[in-house]
Amino acid sequence: MKFRTRYHPIMDESVAHLLAAFDAVATTGHVTRASEMLDVPQSSVSRRVKALERILGVELVHPVGRGVALTPSGREFHARTHAAVRMLDEAASAVRSDADPDGGLVRFGFPLTLGSRMISSLLTKFHQEAPRVRVHLVQAHGEALVDMLRDGRLDLAVMIPPVDDLATTILGSQRILLHVPRSHRLADYRGEVDVVDLAGEAFVASPKSFHLRTILDDWCSAAGFVPRVPFEINEIDTIRALVGDGLGIALLPAGDSPNNTVVTVSLSGDRTREVGLATSRYRPTAAVTRFRQRALEQRWAFN
């Protein structure tokens, strides 16, 4: 109330709504993503940010490409208000969850290397149990999911591998296989291939920021060579397609569906990575807790 009295705003929305809109835009760098995060129309987000700028008498954001960036005043204001907005959001979520435990929104993330069939099975079962709960899905690579969990943009996420600073329950392990084209010398091999035998091969791989690329580099380094990677891409199905076209080999988890152009071969040694369900640092709503329980009861077939 002191904030409103000081600036004498003339508006039909509360300061809390304006601050929440600005915080979402500042956090995501994009009005569209902010509207998805808040579950309100883009026009409402833009209007609220403009209203806040009028109250403060300064410009907080300006357009950059398809997104937005903070002005110096916007950066300072966000630094001073972000924690307060998170606390207000947490308090409101707690009250709403007590009032309506069967409704609300769950923001759930999962990695690019996790098969969509398992996610579909989880969502089908949860929707049968709680049809009024909306689930917002985000599929991204590990670093992006961690960032969204840490700042509250996601409630839950499947993480491969798990991270140490978030509450995580291990769901199982995912086996990494050698993927080769059908014309490759190892396509008919029925045993286990040692990574050292792959020296000199061309690899199709993820960018260095991805965990799968870290695995490739580390395993090859332990085998005494640096992998030659002429093709890098972050989309796993595209990696498989390039392997099928004979452009290289790859170290990947098994695919969701058969690919007639690619053959998978087992690797010797322990070639797995842990999979965990991580929870945001902020207090979960009843809907989030319910979704988490369903996810823990899910049969996760990673291999």
Side-chain angles (χ1 to χ4, degrees), residues 82-251:
H82 179 67
V85 172
R86 294 296 96 195
M87 290 177 65
L88 285 171
D89 184 60
E90 185 176 350
S93 295
V95 172
R96 285 196 299 267
S97 67
D98 291 339
D100 188 12
D102 294 325
L105 174 69
V106 176
R107 298 166 298 180
F108 176 60
F110 58 100
L112 298 169
T113 54
L114 189 65
S116 58
R117 187 175 301 170
M118 286 183 285
I119 299 299
S120 177
S121 175
L122 169 63
L123 295 176
T124 298
K125 293 176 181 177
F126 182 73
H127 183 66
Q128 291 171 347
E129 297 173 359
R132 291 176 48 223
V133 176
R134 292 169 293 112
V135 181
H136 175 64
L137 299 175
V138 174
Q139 188 175 24
H141 69 84
E143 288 186 0
L145 293 176
V146 170
D147 288 342
M148 286 186 277
L149 281 170
R150 286 173 179 157
D151 64 24
R153 283 178 285 160
L154 286 179
D155 301 306
L156 300 162
V158 175
M159 296 299 307
I160 310 177
V163 291
D164 296 333
D165 65 329
L166 294 171
T168 303
T169 300
I170 301 301
L171 300 175
S173 59
Q174 185 182 56
R175 189 159 61 113
I176 304 301
L177 301 169
L178 172 64
H179 289 58
V180 300
R182 287 201 170 274
S183 59
H184 195 272
R185 60 184 176 85
L186 295 172
D188 296 323
Y189 191 69
R190 293 294 176 263
E192 293 184 337
V193 175
D194 197 300
V195 175
V196 71
D197 296 327
L198 304 179
E201 294 277 359
F203 288 85
V204 184
S206 306
K208 288 185 177 293
S209 60
F210 282 56
H211 185 250
L212 276 177
R213 178 58 179 274
T214 301
I215 283 179
L216 172 64
D217 292 343
D218 288 350
W219 289 357
C220 291
S221 176
F225 69 96
V226 176
R228 181 167 61 90
V229 183
F231 299 99
E232 284 187 357
I233 190 166
N234 58 8
E235 218 289 312
I236 303 303
D237 286 339
T238 303
I239 291 180
R240 290 193 179 94
L242 295 179
V243 169
D245 288 339
L247 296 177
I249 64 175
L251 300 187

